Amino acid sequence: MSRLLRPARMLLLGPPGSGKGTQTERLRKQFEIPGISSGDILRRHIKDGTEIGQLASSIINQGKLLPDDLMTKVVASELRRRHWLSPSTSWLLDGFPRTQAQAEMLDAQELGPANAGMNLVVELQVPEDAMLDRIANRLVHVPSGRVYNLTYNPPKVPGRDDVTGEPLSQRPDDDPAVFRKRLNEYRASTEPLVEYYKNSGDVLWSVAGETSDVIYAQLEREVVRRFGESVDESADNGFGGCWSGRLAFVNNN
Ligand code: ATP
Ligand code: MG
């Protein structure tokens, strides 16, 4: 077990198929940090047939990015709705910000005024073959964003979500030709973000590995090093059960 002693507000950056969703899910479980994924939000809009969903679906299927101001509005309203714009909160963002313009808007309009700046930006580096292989074998449960992999992490019942039993689907943008475009879009639009965060204090941390397990082990260690501690569950550590109280007293700014 590991846990947080200070608020951790994290962003995962990486090319399509680098495992942002998988790492987010594992961090959420391990540290009980809530997270949101911009791609999952958009896929829910598409499924619900909203106005945003209609615009998003054609853009996503071409492997392009949605307009910066629209994306910032969508995510900012989610941050507000969840009361995450406060210095004592911990959260994880997957897929937003994804361009420098989005990062600048988010910092200037939302996080800065709330004194809730991002304090860890993780750059995932995965070989291209591994990413291609993953997207070819990926299934998603759209309502929850849960991701399965036919090779590494298959659903218990083929084609069905483990938790709800609802059908899984393949993402239309997980097609090799669209993947290429998404990768190019990543290199053009998102790589500059790494530079942006390099100049934002000691927040950027890069990790490389071929598998999600290799990456997760390093990521967990880094999160513990920066924000928490490892807990030996067999030992009596003297404050079992009250760590969320401790968290509330600590301000990391
Ligand atoms: P993966 O899910 O494999 O990590 P990805 O990062 O390309 O790959 P998602 O984050 O699920 O995929 O996003 C899917 C699509 O949604 C993107 O290709 C893009 O069209 C749109 N999208 C998601 N987030 C943003 C954003 N912050 N700005 C603009 N468009 C976005
Ligand atoms: Mg994703």
Side-chain angles (χ1 to χ4, degrees):
M1 259 297 279
S2 318
R3 61 186 161 198
L4 296 183
L5 297 175
R6 309 193 293 128
R9 287 182 294 276
M10 305 176 38
L11 167 66
L12 277 99
L13 284 180
S18 59
K20 300 181 290 287
T22 304
Q23 302 296 339
T24 301
E25 184 68 21
R26 294 180 73 165
L27 288 170
R28 286 169 72 155
K29 285 205 184 122
Q30 178 81 53
F31 295 96
E32 297 180 351
I33 314 177
I36 56 180
S37 147
S38 55
D40 289 349
I41 294 175
L42 295 174
R43 280 184 286 279
R44 277 197 293 272
H45 274 285
I46 294 172
K47 187 169 171 282
D48 296 344
T50 68
E51 211 174 304
I52 290 172
Q54 283 166 22
L55 173 73
S57 120
S58 67
I59 297 178
I60 291 178
N61 293 345
Q62 295 171 60
K64 294 186 182 154
L65 297 182
L66 272 86
D68 288 329
D69 50 349
L70 174 72
M71 253 351 274
T72 306
K73 268 195 207 130
V74 169
V75 176
S77 80
E78 192 66 24
L79 293 172
R80 270 193 293 272
R81 192 177 69 76
R82 294 174 180 237
H83 306 290
W84 284 3
L85 294 171
S86 124
S88 60
T89 51
S90 290
W91 37 253
L92 283 157
L93 299 183
D94 156 13
F96 180 92
R98 207 188 191 89
T99 65
Q100 184 163 338
Q102 290 176 10
E104 284 168 356
M105 279 191 259
L106 181 71
D107 284 346
Q109 296 169 12
E110 312 292 339
L111 304 186
N115 197 17
M118 209 104 68
N119 48 23
L120 178 59
V121 176
V122 176
E123 186 202 14
L124 303 177
Q125 298 174 340
V126 174
E128 205 171 303
D129 290 355
M131 299 190 297
L132 248 173
D133 188 64
R134 263 184 222 165
I135 60 138
N137 288 297
R138 170 157 73 181
L139 290 175
V140 293
H141 177 243
V142 172
S144 67
R146 273 186 287 280
V147 179
Y148 297 86
N149 183 288
L150 293 172
T151 318
Y152 302 107
N153 167 38
K156 289 182 187 129
V157 177
R160 298 272 159 186
D161 177 47
D162 286 354
V163 178
T164 64
E166 290 167 347
L168 302 175
S169 53
Q170 200 153 25
R171 283 170 45 175
D173 57 341
D174 276 353
D175 149 292
V178 181
F179 173 79
R180 245 318 111 213
K181 288 197 197 132
R182 287 160 63 203
L183 196 57
N184 291 339
E185 189 67 71
Y186 178 82
R187 294 201 169 122
S189 309
T190 310
E191 271 180 6
L193 256 191
V194 172
E195 283 306 307
Y196 175 81
Y197 285 116
K198 251 183 210 160
N199 301 318
S200 304
D202 177 31
V203 298
L204 183 70
W205 180 75
S206 299
V207 56
E210 287 224 12
T211 69
S212 294
D213 286 350
V214 167
I215 288 189
Y216 185 72
Q218 299 176 68
L219 178 55
E220 186 186 334
R221 214 174 310 125
E222 185 64 16
V223 172
V224 167
R225 191 180 78 75
R226 290 183 183 235
F227 306 107
E229 64 179 357
S230 284
V231 178
D232 177 358
E233 278 180 321
S234 60
D236 177 8
N237 52 41
F239 55 93
C242 71
W243 70 275
S244 57
R246 284 170 59 118
L247 186 59
F249 290 113
V250 182
N251 187 330
N252 70 322
N253 287 293

